[in-house]
Amino acid sequence: MNTGNADLIRIIRAQVQKRGPISFAWFMQQALYHPEHGYYSSGRCVIGRKGDYFTNVAVGPLFGQLLAAQFSEIWERLGKMNNFVIVEQGAHDGQFAWDVLEFVQKRLPEFFDALRYRILEPFPILEEQQRQRLEAFGDKVEWRDSPEPFTGVHFSNELLDAMPVRLISDGTEKLVGLNGDNFVFVERPVDKTRFNQAALEWIDQIAGNLQRGYVIAIDYGFLDEEFERNVQVRARHRHLDSSFEQIGDADVTMSVHWKSIVERAQANGLRVAGFTDQHHFLTGIICQFDRGGSPERPAGDWGQSPLPDSAKAKRELQTLLHPEMLGRAFQVLALAKDVNVEVPPLAGFEFARQLDQSR
Ligand SMILES: C[S@@+](CC[C@H](N)C(=O)[O-])C[C@H]1O[C@@H](n2cnc3c(N)ncnc32)[C@H](O)[C@@H]1O
């Protein structure tokens, strides 16, 4: 028995009845992004304690503050240029943008003056939420519904795992069919086709628009060999057993296959500037704060460290860093165009191992 948004279930069922079994990528696109009824596009998704699941952003402001420092180092490397653009994609309710901008405005005023914050947002209802949250920053923030050329940094947290995927494994594809009125998986042989086409097209687009600077993507996944094609469905902090439960009311994700994204990025002229887990990435940034810059690694003045002395903020830090919590679950990939990625690495990758040893 399928559960979820009744209108959406009717729409999907009618399409499967008309067309026969359809790819899981199409089903996932409807469940998350159907213009009226999708979990994200309808604005129904709530992240955090009162919502369906936690992200780094929902843990508290520290995550955005540490990333703000990393963006500042990138700005310094690009020659402290004017009109440095931070592009965020998957900005959801604008919380990360708020955490970054508030910190930069208070602690890094020179950087604040030079930057523009651009949110790539295809869904009007989310753009409206972001505009309300970020009103205080006036025209520092701009919105686009698709990528445009930029120099600076493109950032995303848990964007890639929310991109539709086909379920292909060992020459077989699982399609979404019907048994009576209920959705079921139907297996069909398939030629070797990209299972994560949307993520590959995403990096094509971003690489095409990045004129100079970095792409930083944080997500959970696997480099290659240990990759698991497991779809996860989450609602109210519970993992559901089936993709056909709470359709349109639950989050659907697939872990990221980093290797294919790296290869596609390289084919587009980007270079790997670092790959590591979140624990090592954030630790590198924190150490940079503690050091306050050095002749070998001039960090500029990042100002006073945002590191916590309240019990609440210490818990935030622990959640982000702890290997059993988010520290190992997430990885960070940085790609670069037209910048020297050799030495020294960005602060976040100071403790990273080589790409092929990073798991
Ligand atoms: C798992 S949520 C992460 C939200 C936020 N980054 C965080 O970490 O709390 C994924 C977000 O990506 C957004 N998204 C998915 N595809 C997108 C696209 N092509 N462009 C912009 N946002 C997209 C969804 O609307 C959703 O807000």
Side-chain angles (χ1 to χ4, degrees):
M1 173 69 182
N2 306 136
T3 54
N5 180 291
D7 291 328
L8 184 59
I9 290 173
R10 251 194 305 278
I11 291 167
I12 298 175
R13 194 183 286 139
Q15 279 299 313
V16 180
Q17 276 162 349
K18 194 167 138 200
R19 293 162 54 184
I22 307 184
S23 80
F24 187 75
W26 180 85
F27 175 86
M28 191 169 162
Q29 178 76 29
Q30 308 311 307
L32 299 181
Y33 308 117
H34 180 280
E36 213 183 321
H37 305 297
Y39 175 68
Y40 285 118
S41 43
S42 66
R44 229 179 354 260
C45 160
V46 179
I47 299 175
R49 195 175 301 283
K50 293 190 181 142
D52 291 312
Y53 58 91
F54 270 104
T55 62
N56 284 317
V57 179
V59 170
L62 184 64
F63 179 70
Q65 294 168 349
L66 292 173
L67 264 298
Q70 182 59 98
F71 299 157
S72 167
E73 186 193 29
I74 290 176
W75 169 67
E76 289 168 14
R77 287 192 178 203
L78 265 53
K80 295 192 171 186
M81 59 179 292
N82 229 338
N83 285 323
F84 176 92
V85 187
I86 299 173
V87 181
E88 188 189 356
Q89 194 168 3
H92 198 65
D93 59 3
Q95 184 60 55
F96 177 80
W98 170 272
D99 296 336
V100 169
L101 286 167
E102 195 207 29
F103 181 80
V104 174
Q105 188 174 37
K106 279 196 191 138
R107 305 282 188 91
L108 303 163
E110 200 194 340
F111 179 35
F112 188 77
D113 286 346
L115 79 82
R116 302 200 54 70
Y117 202 101
R118 181 179 298 167
I119 296 183
L120 290 185
E121 184 52 74
F123 306 118
I125 196 162
L126 295 182
E127 178 178 329
E128 190 44 42
Q129 289 177 17
Q130 294 154 10
R131 282 187 185 274
Q132 281 177 19
R133 175 149 301 180
L134 299 168
E135 204 179 352
F137 294 105
D139 58 9
K140 185 63 69 191
V141 190
E142 59 194 29
W143 279 264
R144 300 286 186 271
D145 57 13
S146 58
E148 286 182 8
F150 69 100
T151 297
V153 58
H154 179 289
F155 176 77
S156 62
N157 185 65
E158 285 207 62
L159 167 72
L160 295 171
D161 67 15
M163 291 194 176
V165 285
R166 291 172 67 177
L167 299 180
I168 299 176
S169 169
D170 298 330
T172 302
E173 176 163 12
K174 278 191 192 174
L175 302 172
V176 178
L178 279 170
N179 180 4
D181 266 355
N182 284 330
F183 297 117
V184 288
F185 281 119
V186 178
E187 295 199 349
R188 293 279 157 85
V190 68
D191 288 341
K192 209 169 158 51
T193 329
R194 296 287 189 188
F195 74 95
N196 58 347
Q197 194 61 32
L200 300 177
E201 284 166 12
W202 166 80
I203 194 62
D204 290 347
Q205 265 199 335
I206 302 307
N209 281 289
L210 175 61
Q211 304 198 308
R212 188 164 169 252
Y214 290 81
V215 178
I216 297 183
I218 304 186
D219 229 305
Y220 75 93
F222 300 91
L223 198 53
D224 191 23
E225 292 83 4
E226 293 168 7
F227 181 66
E228 292 166 15
R229 278 161 216 261
N230 286 340
V231 173
Q232 293 196 34
V233 187
R234 313 179 274 189
R236 305 262 155 224
H237 297 280
R238 262 195 334 119
H239 283 271
L240 307 183
D241 293 335
S242 157
S243 312
F244 305 137
E245 277 181 62
Q246 303 204 24
I247 298 168
D249 291 335
D251 186 34
V252 184
T253 60
M254 160 81 105
S255 41
V256 175
H257 185 247
W258 290 112
K259 188 172 174 217
S260 62
I261 292 178
V262 165
E263 285 172 356
R264 190 74 163 237
Q266 289 169 328
N268 277 294
L270 300 185
R271 299 179 66 192
V272 175
F275 181 78
T276 189
D277 61 44
Q278 176 163 300
H279 172 89
H280 287 88
F281 180 73
L282 296 181
T283 303
I285 299 173
I286 290 164
C287 287
Q288 185 81 320
F289 263 116
D290 288 347
R291 203 177 290 139
S294 73
E296 302 79 46
R297 177 187 279 287
D301 180 11
W302 283 6
Q304 196 194 340
S305 165
L307 288 186
D309 48 18
S310 74
K312 176 183 169 295
K314 278 191 183 123
R315 275 199 302 276
E316 255 176 61
L317 180 63
Q318 191 180 26
T319 305
L320 293 173
L321 283 188
H322 197 292
E324 299 297 318
M325 298 167 105
L326 302 181
R328 282 261 185 213
F330 288 93
Q331 299 86 46
V332 186
L333 172 67
L335 301 159
K337 187 188 259 185
D338 202 12
V339 283
N340 183 2
V341 296
E342 306 301 344
V343 272
L346 291 175
F349 299 99
E350 182 173 355
F351 305 118
R353 288 168 285 168
Q354 294 299 308
L355 185 59
D356 56 358
Q357 304 166 357
S358 300
R359 277 168 289 123

